[in-house]
Amino acid sequence: MERMKAIVLNEPGKPEQFVLSEIPVPAVKAGEIRVRVQAAGLNPVDYKVAMNGHPNWQYPHVSGVDVAGIVDAVGEGVTQWQVGDRVVYHGDFSKPGGFAEYSTTVAHTAVAIPDGVSFVDAAAFPCAGLTAYQILVRKMHMQRGQSILIHAGAGGVGGYAIQLAKLLGASTIIATASPINADYVRGLGADYVLDYNQEDVHARVMEITANEGVDLILSSVNRATSQKDLSTLSFGGQLACIAGAPETVADFQPSTKTFTLHKLMLGGAYGSGRKAEEELAAMAAEFLQLIAEKKIDPVVNKVISLEEIPQGLKLLSERHVQGKIVAKIGG
């Protein structure tokens, strides 16, 4: 049986427990494609789920939800892809992923990489970029002239969200970041960068907006922060949470703070039916076009090797990475 190099977990654990190994190349099943991986993006979900594992995992397990590469084989019934096609996809974290020389996915979740977009840039965006895109475009329907607060502006989701907000014509973009990342976040398009360690973020937002609050908030911190966010919204504002919704919503007062709440988990598309999975690919195609047209920077901060993925995940877990870390695996 043909074998491949992969970064695996032999049991649930921390980033440093990911190890380099040789395992069988995955077989391609009906409705799937197998990809010769050229690059894989690193994301918080990769180390967070690894801590406790997943009921569907069999060990040794390969993580990595963001994969870009070349179609190596097509399964029975697959007609939209041919061997040699360049593709990228956001994978199902309950199944083996892309921290390996080969990986498989359901064919309808992949999207073609446009000419001029590298494998590294393509692998950088799916998890973080599609989360930001789903929030601002699909859920909030952000309009020109609206204001927004984006927590963790230096991270992957935050960095893409700032750029999208700018592209969509936001009137005011407020982001939180540590002082060391302030210039980077301003460079992405933030009008104000607040130091979440030294400033009362919510009080400053109200000050900046003349006590009216912001139209939109992207909260990626925790439940407590999301709870405070509610009071920072303008009348009819929208709060999107990707790391814990507010504890108290039904009885939230006053009526001058009427709001809409969005709770998102991009990976939840898997297991929700084919329509949800195809939506991942549709959003990816739209987002890739923005990258191809140079309207969105893929925010690749660091390119590492397959062998360096454990160190990269550890760095990511320390929560002070600007932009994205991508592992270049093939080529």
Side-chain angles (χ1 to χ4, degrees):
M1 182 179 293
E2 190 177 359
R3 299 178 72 80
M4 66 177 182
K5 291 181 180 179
I7 296 295
V8 305
L9 268 178
N10 290 307
E11 60 183 8
K14 298 177 181 179
E16 49 266 38
Q17 289 176 255
F18 284 82
V19 295
L20 181 65
S21 183
E22 283 201 0
I23 61 174
V25 171
V28 62
K29 301 175 184 177
E32 292 183 342
I33 56 173
R34 184 172 65 203
V35 172
R36 188 166 77 251
V37 181
Q38 300 297 294
L42 278 62
N43 293 284
V45 69
D46 297 320
Y47 70 80
K48 288 181 177 179
V49 178
M51 296 292 286
N52 297 308
H54 189 281
N56 291 348
W57 288 2
Q58 294 183 351
Y59 297 93
H61 173 74
V62 179
S63 294
V65 293
D66 286 353
V67 186
I70 302 167
V71 176
D72 170 74
V74 297
E76 182 181 352
V78 175
T79 58
Q80 68 267 52
W81 300 113
Q82 297 180 349
V83 172
D85 287 342
R86 293 177 0 118
V87 297
V88 60
Y89 59 90
H90 176 65
D92 183 348
F93 66 76
S94 72
K95 297 180 179 179
F99 294 161
E101 293 179 313
Y102 293 87
S103 187
T104 62
T105 190
V106 182
H108 60 254
T109 62
V111 61
I113 300 174
D115 292 341
V117 177
S118 70
F119 288 115
V120 167
D121 286 350
F125 88 87
C127 188
L130 295 185
T131 296
Y133 193 82
Q134 185 180 46
I135 290 170
L136 270 66
V137 177
R138 290 288 202 269
K139 299 297 182 183
M140 290 179 163
H141 304 288
M142 187 176 192
Q143 303 297 308
R144 180 170 296 277
Q146 289 187 311
S147 57
I148 186 169
L149 166 63
I150 299 170
H151 289 284
V157 175
Y160 287 127
I162 291 169
Q163 293 185 78
L164 281 169
K166 195 77 172 179
L167 192 61
L168 292 168
S171 62
T172 306
I173 301 172
I174 306 169
T176 66
S178 58
I180 195 172
N181 292 325
D183 287 343
Y184 169 75
V185 172
R186 288 190 191 94
L188 292 172
D191 299 300
Y192 299 88
V193 181
L194 309 183
D195 180 354
Y196 57 88
N197 285 316
Q198 299 296 325
E199 298 182 77
D200 183 330
V201 170
H202 298 89
R204 284 282 288 122
V205 169
M206 297 306 289
E207 178 186 328
I208 291 167
T209 61
N211 217 39
E212 290 188 357
V214 286
D215 299 308
L216 312 172
I217 299 178
L218 194 168
S219 185
S220 57
V221 185
N222 52 41
R223 287 183 181 276
T225 300
S226 295
Q227 190 69 49
K228 292 180 180 178
D229 284 336
L230 288 177
S231 300
T232 317
L233 285 170
S234 63
F235 179 80
Q238 300 183 66
L239 169 63
C241 306
I242 60 174
E247 295 281 358
T248 305
V249 174
D251 299 325
F252 181 75
Q253 297 292 336
S255 58
T256 53
K257 291 294 184 181
T258 180
F259 63 90
T260 300
L261 175 66
H262 305 279
K263 184 179 179 183
L264 295 102
M265 183 179 291
L266 190 70
Y270 286 100
S272 299
R274 179 163 179 152
K275 180 181 178 181
E277 294 173 359
E278 289 179 334
E279 175 67 1
L280 291 178
M283 290 193 299
E286 294 171 13
F287 200 94
L288 266 171
Q289 192 58 37
L290 295 177
I291 293 177
E293 294 172 0
K294 310 296 184 185
K295 293 179 179 177
I296 294 288
D297 188 319
V299 295
V300 176
N301 173 267
K302 190 177 183 67
V303 178
I304 61 176
S305 66
L306 175 67
E307 292 79 5
E308 293 173 313
I309 286 177
Q311 298 98 298
L313 290 173
K314 187 175 188 303
L315 187 64
L316 196 61
S317 72
E318 293 166 354
R319 301 179 65 86
H320 290 291
V321 173
Q322 290 181 353
K324 295 289 299 181
I325 301 175
V326 178
K328 187 175 182 181
I329 296 172

